[in-house]
Amino acid sequence: MSIAIIGPAEIEAMIDREVADYPTDTRAGAQTLEAFQNARRKPRLVSVNFSGGITQKCYSVTRPNGDYRVIYLPLAGYFSLCVESDFGPLDIGVHGPAIACFGSV
């Protein structure tokens, strides 16, 4: 079985679709989307740490807010909320759509 790895342009298109479909009919929804858009960045390659001492090259899609940032995991095909550490972003097991990961904290 082969894994299709996507690049920055495809990641941005995925996020653009999420933004277009994100419900903003509540104040909380509108605020979450606005905060996500303010933190959003062009996908940037970073080394992400996983439990067991594993590291992978992944794409940061939001700026760190001091404690967290959203990362796209190309081998898994989904987004992750990562906590900032002295050794770089650390996957904490919160996975799914980019905005949902972002809004979980």
Side-chain angles (χ1 to χ4, degrees):
M1 178 167 89
S2 66
I3 298 172
I5 304 293
I6 65 173
E10 294 89 357
I11 295 167
E12 288 220 87
M14 288 170 54
I15 295 172
D16 288 342
R17 286 190 297 275
E18 272 192 54
V19 167
D21 294 340
Y22 195 77
T24 57
D25 53 344
T26 66
R27 182 176 175 179
Q31 288 175 334
T32 297
L33 182 59
E34 180 180 3
F36 175 80
Q37 289 286 68
N38 288 335
R40 187 175 170 183
R41 69 169 355 149
K42 297 232 179 256
R44 177 184 296 178
L45 270 177
V46 295
S47 291
V48 176
N49 300 292
F50 296 85
S51 62
I54 298 168
T55 61
Q56 288 181 13
K57 290 290 186 185
C58 301
Y59 289 93
S60 175
V61 299
T62 65
R63 288 175 206 78
N65 71 355
D67 294 323
Y68 301 96
R69 74 170 116 168
V70 178
I71 304 285
Y72 181 74
L73 309 177
L75 292 177
Y78 49 71
F79 295 91
S80 173
L81 183 68
C82 290
V83 67
E84 295 298 320
S85 77
D86 290 341
F87 307 103
L90 173 65
D91 179 85
I92 58 173
V94 176
H95 302 134
I99 302 170
C101 287
F102 179 85
S104 68
V105 292

